[in-house]
Amino acid sequence: QVQLVESGGGFVQPGGTLRLSCAASGRIFNIYAMDWYRQTPGKQREQVATITRDGVTRYADSVKGRFTISRDNANNTVYLQMNSLKPEDTAIYYCNAEIVSYYAGPVNDVWGQGTQVTVSS
């Protein structure tokens, strides 16, 4: 069984920084794209950033220039560096990854449990 575990959320004042981490564990043969999403009550889950295995990145317009996604393939971990945080960044942040558990196996879409980020003065 494969799981993703996020860490690094918390409370920060506007303009502050946080770094989220998400580590995959279990039976892993390969991980393709890794993503960060966020969700607030009453709204749909929004993709914040994505990174391919080769390091190609893409960001939501709302976080461009402030957030940076990166990954460590050797340790099956993805990060989200969040700078210049705004109150509207407040949300539960979820990690997502496309994981293959064995050679020629199916690609499974795996989600973490989420970590709360609160930006407030």
Side-chain angles (χ1 to χ4, degrees), residues 36-100:
W36 287 97
Y37 285 75
R38 65 186 180 187
Q39 189 170 23
T40 54
K43 292 188 177 181
Q44 282 194 329
R45 196 168 289 188
E46 169 195 25
Q47 187 181 61
V48 174
T50 185
I51 184 167
T52 68
R53 183 170 180 80
D54 295 332
V56 177
T57 59
R58 188 173 69 246
Y59 298 92
D61 288 343
S62 57
V63 306
K64 278 181 183 176
R66 300 188 298 121
F67 290 11
T68 302
I69 188 171
S70 61
R71 63 189 285 173
D72 178 352
N73 290 333
N75 291 300
N76 297 323
T77 301
V78 63
Y79 304 96
L80 187 67
Q81 178 67 42
M82 304 186 293
N83 299 331
S84 303
L85 282 160
K86 305 175 181 179
E88 51 264 43
D89 294 318
T90 296
I92 299 174
Y93 283 71
Y94 296 91
C95 175
N96 172 263
E98 299 172 341
I99 298 177
V100 177

Side-chain angles (χ1 to χ4, degrees), residues 2 27 29-35 96-111:
V2 178
R27 185 175 179 179
F29 176 75
N30 198 4
I31 302 178
Y32 295 116
M34 302 185 83
D35 317 279
N96 172 263
E98 299 172 341
I99 298 177
V100 177
S101 291
Y102 53 90
Y103 178 74
V107 178
N108 295 307
D109 197 37
V110 182
W111 290 89

Side-chain angles (χ1 to χ4, degrees), residues 11-15 85-87 90 118-121:
F11 182 94
V12 64
Q13 293 187 334
L85 282 160
K86 305 175 181 179
T90 296
T118 302
V119 185
S120 176
S121 55

